[in-house]
Amino acid sequence: MKKALITVGLMLVLPLGLFGCSNNSGSSNSSSSSSTKTEQTSSTSTSEVTPTTSNAKRAEKVRYEKVNFTTTLDHEYLEENVYKDLPGTVDHNKIYQWDDLKVTAKTKVHVDKKAVATFKDDDDNEFDHEDFYRVTFDNSKSNQHYWVGDDVLQNDHENDYDD
């Protein structure tokens, strides 16, 4: 009789303990992924661009250059982010979803500014430089500017499939 009570008690207590441990250990990951899914669902149901925010590290130095050219998006542009502000210059930068911008790899992109941002690498304390471009899209009815990384734009002088 004692064995049966102990067995039943363990069968009830053990799953509750395991459920509580697994629920607590993954709560931050599951809540962030569920909020991301919610944001993606809401952004696809509306016609407006719904940004998310990013907390990236600050740039040590930024150098701006005026440029003026038109190109198209790289065939792997979806793997990169599109930002409201230059990454590293603000604490909470908005990241837009490509689908909401209604662009394709064939969309004409007008580039009017280049920024070279210098970031300090935490691992070896050396400086890394990243190129960003301020762009507007040909299909946009407004003159909204976005910042994109170098890998987003098609470079005519390079072979596109070397990435």
Side-chain angles (χ1 to χ4, degrees), residues 12-143:
L12 292 174
V13 172
L14 188 59
L16 290 175
L18 290 175
F19 177 75
C21 291
S22 66
N23 193 18
N24 288 339
S25 66
S27 64
S28 63
N29 291 339
S30 63
S31 66
S32 64
S33 64
S34 64
S35 66
T36 304
K37 290 177 185 175
T38 304
E39 290 171 3
Q40 290 173 350
T41 304
S42 66
S43 67
T44 56
S45 63
T46 63
S47 61
E48 294 180 10
V49 177
T50 306
T52 58
T53 58
S54 167
N55 296 334
K57 58 184 175 179
R58 294 292 262 176
E60 298 286 323
K61 178 174 75 169
V62 178
R63 183 187 52 170
Y64 294 92
E65 301 173 17
K66 285 190 178 197
V67 295
N68 186 18
F69 64 92
T70 301
T71 187
T72 57
L73 297 173
D74 185 78
H75 73 283
E76 295 177 342
Y77 73 95
L78 291 172
E79 296 175 9
E80 304 295 329
N81 290 325
V82 58
Y83 304 94
K84 179 178 190 245
D85 297 301
L86 180 66
T89 60
V90 294
D91 289 332
H92 299 286
N93 201 352
K94 293 180 182 179
I95 300 175
Y96 295 94
Q97 301 296 320
W98 285 106
D99 292 340
D100 293 338
L101 297 174
K102 296 181 176 102
V103 295
T104 66
K106 296 178 183 178
T107 302
K108 294 239 187 232
V109 179
H110 304 286
V111 183
D112 67 345
K113 195 175 273 193
K114 176 181 178 180
V116 179
T118 304
F119 296 94
K120 190 170 188 179
D121 190 2
D122 293 334
D123 295 334
D124 56 8
N125 288 331
E126 294 198 12
F127 293 101
D128 294 327
H129 306 283
E130 293 184 38
D131 294 344
F132 295 95
Y133 294 91
R134 191 173 79 166
V135 300
T136 57
F137 299 111
D138 198 30
N139 67 349
S140 177
K141 292 175 181 45
S142 68
N143 286 337

Side-chain angles (χ1 to χ4, degrees), residues 4-15:
L5 287 174
I6 291 173
T7 305
V8 170
L10 285 176
M11 289 178 70
L12 292 174
V13 172
L14 188 59

